[in-house]
Amino acid sequence: MSNCCLDGTELVANRKPKMITEYNRYMGGIDLNDMLTSFYEDGRKSTKMWKKIVFNIIHRMVINAYILYQQNSDNAKSRLHFIQLLIDDLSEDHMTRNPANLGVLNDERNNQHLRKLPGRKEKDCCVCSVRNVPGGRKRSKHICVLCHKGVHKICYKKHSRRCNVDE
């Protein structure tokens, strides 16, 4: 409750209580920040209070970054587009620092470009696997980044000749 208008029953010219008009006149950035935070809630349901606090702080940091971006940019993008660009830039920076996060194995000696399949997924190796022969089916947890076919690390050199990868 506001201390400046202790008598909340006093009405002003527009038939609103004086306390409401005073609040609206001096409404600060906190209410605006709360409003902006509510637009793009991520809907995380957590019982841990520290997680809620951390995500709320992150939301507020993104809002503050967007406000600074609008003030310093001639042709500002929408807030949604800004958030998408921010996520792309942050994840790209993180992924380039640690290539293992991409799932791409870049072995400079063999110039291998393989990606590990998520979970327990496997594909038939396009080099050494033969489906119609008993015991000939060989499965790999890696795929070629260019053609998306299954291939073992040791079979990659043969595969790269077929896939037209520069060696």
Side-chain angles (χ1 to χ4, degrees), residues 111-126:
N111 196 21
Q112 293 185 353
H113 300 283
L114 299 176
R115 182 171 60 96
K116 187 173 182 178
L117 291 169
R120 297 178 180 239
K121 293 183 179 181
E122 292 182 340
K123 282 192 165 188
D124 289 346
C125 179
C126 64

Side-chain angles (χ1 to χ4, degrees), residues 63-115:
I63 290 168
N64 290 337
Y66 180 68
I67 292 170
L68 290 173
Y69 166 73
Q70 277 187 318
Q71 291 172 352
N72 296 318
S73 178
D74 294 332
N75 54 349
K77 296 174 176 25
S78 71
R79 187 165 152 221
L80 178 63
H81 193 250
F82 174 80
I83 292 171
Q84 290 170 339
L85 289 174
L86 181 67
I87 291 170
D88 289 343
D89 287 345
L90 289 175
S91 62
E92 181 180 338
D93 183 46
H94 176 70
M95 295 299 187
T96 54
R97 271 190 275 133
N98 189 0
N101 290 329
L102 270 179
V104 176
L105 306 171
N106 290 326
D107 187 350
E108 295 301 323
R109 292 169 291 147
N110 298 328
N111 196 21
Q112 293 185 353
H113 300 283
L114 299 176
R115 182 171 60 96

Side-chain angles (χ1 to χ4, degrees), residues 53-68:
I53 292 169
V54 167
F55 284 114
N56 191 301
I57 290 170
I58 292 171
H59 281 290
R60 292 181 190 278
M61 288 187 330
V62 170
I63 290 168
N64 290 337
Y66 180 68
I67 292 170
L68 290 173

Side-chain angles (χ1 to χ4, degrees), residues 32-41 59-60 63 79:
L32 179 62
N33 202 313
D34 287 340
M35 182 186 74
L36 291 172
T37 303
S38 69
F39 287 151
Y40 290 108
E41 286 191 42
H59 281 290
R60 292 181 190 278
I63 290 168
R79 187 165 152 221

Side-chain angles (χ1 to χ4, degrees), residues 119-137:
R120 297 178 180 239
K121 293 183 179 181
E122 292 182 340
K123 282 192 165 188
D124 289 346
C125 179
C126 64
V127 177
C128 66
S129 181
V130 182
R131 278 195 148 190
N132 299 335
V133 177
R137 186 174 185 191

